[in-house]
Amino acid sequence: MKRAFYKPRLVTGVIFSLLFFCPPAIYAFEDVPIIPRCKSLELHEGFYPLQQQIRISITGGTSSEDQLKANAERFAVFLRKGAGLKVAVGGEGKAGESEVKLRMAPDMFESKVAGAYRLSVDQEGIHIIGADAQGVFYGLQSLKQMLPAAIFHQDDAVHRNAFSDLRIGFVKIEDAPRFKWRGFMLDSCRHIQTIDKIKQYIDLMALYKMNVFHWHLTEDEAWRAEIKKYPKLTSIGGYPGDRSKEEEFNGYYTQEQMREIVAYAHERYIKVVPEFDIPGHVNALLMAYPEYGCNDGAPLKMGEPGMRSFSSAAGRRAICAGKHETTIPFIMEVFDELQTIFTDGLFHVGGDERPHGNWEKCTHCVALRDKLKLEDEHHLQNWFLNEVSERLRKRGIRSIAWAEHIQGGVPEGQIVQAWNKPSEALQGIRAGREVINSYNRKIYLDYPANNANAEELNKHNRRYRSRLVSAKSIYAFEPVPGSLTLEERARVIGVEAPVWTEDIRMDRLDRKVFPRLISVAEVAWTDEKRKNWESFQHRFAKHAQIIEALYIAYDRSDFIIEAK
Ligand code: ACM
């Protein structure tokens, strides 16, 4: 990953850290800058010094001990690299060492959502108790956030001397997530990102206790997932740009790379949900394998190399429902391979924006619609997605789809992702399905954050001028529609913020995603009654330092404008 473009403000980081670590008399309630805001937090008089020698102990003897150990080892690396401390994991404590004690105790917690924890700091040391290993991991994320921001820089040589007098105020935290789905979606098709960049975002998601990475891997513009049985998906579909140039339109992820991302995410308690978008958004697929397209009288144009020509210029197309005897087996063979890589039992099947006009004109689709006595193409889409979802369900996989095909009814067990209209969440709930709320005008990170930046209002974004999505407006987003019964409310399983990358190359991605993803994290984790924008702004001051130390070139204008 290229890092030269951005230099963290180390000096301000260190100064802020020193301020934060002044004696506890200066603490006010909100001075413990944890994001997302905890369920409850008490400050007590006194502080615990972190010696140069630290021991992380693990108690429990449960089957999750290996996971706690892995959590401990990762935290040890963070302290060693960032603060130059000597950290041992396990073993007997010795005089002069500071102690971080990790434990799992499921019986102590009532939260039904995974990830609850307690964190206390007293004269005996730092104690983290998790309802599960994920809870212990989240306790460690909160602890990391209580340390000086400059430690996140992870450059052992630079900071060693800055952290000779670390101490943490006595504190008692109880915490648990509001929602079980705390997601971020990255479109790797319109522009592709490096594996390092994706890992960096996964690290940030974990720091902010987010737990679902939705990876948008197939599109009109490009197909990014290597499928060995269908090599042209990537050899043709992965290269919409000029092959003679290094372009962020070109490339794909090998199966090995995708496995690497999944393993990296799993170590951080993040599920990875790949999206194979059907029946629309398939131009790249059809460029590679035109036989799966419709017989609608419109020849598929290959377009010119370098023109990103798989996109709308070639006319948007759909995979053929009428030829289901070949298209569905093909789709399932693609899933055969994806299933060996993405092991969380969740697959996104798209379902959004099927172009109108293909199925309506295709002799195969019209014949099938009539044979099945379906009212219209919406119902045909529902039938098609149902066939695929049912096959996935039989394999033990749950499907997720963008909500607009709701018009034809929602396949059994499918999770509905609301995105286009406020009514979609309600429709999904009323259809008895679980719902993820990604309402675009509230949470799409590709929409401009404010009017301050002329670059945001270029020709591509002009139509979104009135659709400003700022850190503050995201913060105010309430994902559960009003006037619902308790049972209905419980069907909203969370939120997810997508970033669509039509106009976003990697050099602009950070400033589109941050700081807004941090707002999303608090919406996803913190109980509605505990949310407070002023408190968030106050805590964010510390997090600006943290994300700078992590080389994230975030959008300052968004936050500063909203902070007024
Ligand atoms: C979408 O934004 N097309 C889901």
Side-chain angles (χ1 to χ4, degrees), residues 26 152 161 174 191 200 211-212 216 239 268 294 300 303 337 353 356 473 495 524 558 561:
I26 67 151
F152 284 82
N161 294 329
E174 297 212 8
H191 286 95
Q200 188 192 28
N211 67 347
V212 180
H216 189 74
Y239 289 85
R268 289 154 182 80
C294 283
L300 193 71
E337 292 194 29
E353 299 177 313
H356 293 268
S473 67
V495 288
D558 176 28
I561 283 177

Side-chain angles (χ1 to χ4, degrees), residues 365-378:
C365 291
V366 170
L368 179 66
R369 187 196 62 197
D370 292 347
K371 183 173 155 207
L372 295 173
K373 299 192 173 36
L374 296 172
E375 208 174 299
D376 57 23
E377 280 66 27
H378 291 313

